Amino acid sequence: EVQLVESGGGLVQAGGSLRLSCAVSTFTSFDDYAIGWFRQAPGKGREQVSCINVAEGSTYYADSVRGRFTTSSNNAKNTVYLQMNSLKPEDTAVYYCAARGQAVLKYEYWGQGAQVTVSS
């Protein structure tokens, strides 16, 4: 069983920055997982924006956020971060972190979501 808790959402003006945190609780090793960040805007489907392999530190970014968003992990704190810079109104969405085993394709565990609103 894995539990994820997001924090750090809020309201920011276009061009500003926010950092989301995802605290991960697990009975197994934090290193066993890849943590993805997803977002869903009103009336739109869910989009994966990034992923980090916790053991290796390798990352993936969607084209829509590459160069503006950075994901990182603090393995001592079992926490993954999403640093969001140069935010745009189209980044407004509920952001979720999710976990999957490294050998698994499907994200099995999800956080509750954090609202990010970017005003123009």
Side-chain angles (χ1 to χ4, degrees):
E1 183 68 25
V2 180
Q3 294 184 332
L4 303 97
V5 178
E6 296 111 341
S7 60
L11 172 65
V12 65
Q13 289 188 333
S17 298
L18 281 175
R19 189 178 78 162
L20 300 179
S21 300
C22 176
V24 181
S25 299
T26 176
F27 290 114
T28 60
S29 174
F30 184 53
D31 288 356
D32 290 342
Y33 298 96
I35 306 297
W37 286 97
F38 296 77
R39 67 185 181 185
Q40 188 162 18
K44 294 187 176 181
R46 188 171 61 198
E47 174 191 20
Q48 182 171 6
V49 297
S50 74
C51 175
I52 183 166
N53 181 310
V54 173
E56 300 174 354
S58 56
T59 55
Y60 155 83
Y61 298 98
D63 289 345
S64 57
V65 306
R66 187 174 295 114
R68 300 187 298 122
F69 290 13
T70 303
T71 188
S72 61
S73 67
N74 183 327
N75 292 14
K77 295 184 177 181
N78 280 21
T79 300
V80 171
Y81 304 98
L82 184 68
Q83 178 67 44
M84 303 182 291
N85 298 329
S86 302
L87 283 162
K88 305 175 182 179
E90 52 263 43
D91 294 318
T92 295
V94 178
Y95 284 71
Y96 300 89
C97 61
R100 61 172 174 83
Q102 291 186 20
V104 176
L105 293 178
K106 181 180 178 181
Y107 285 87
E108 300 172 283
Y109 308 99
W110 293 81
Q112 82 283 2
Q115 178 69 47
V116 171
T117 302
V118 184
S119 63
S120 57

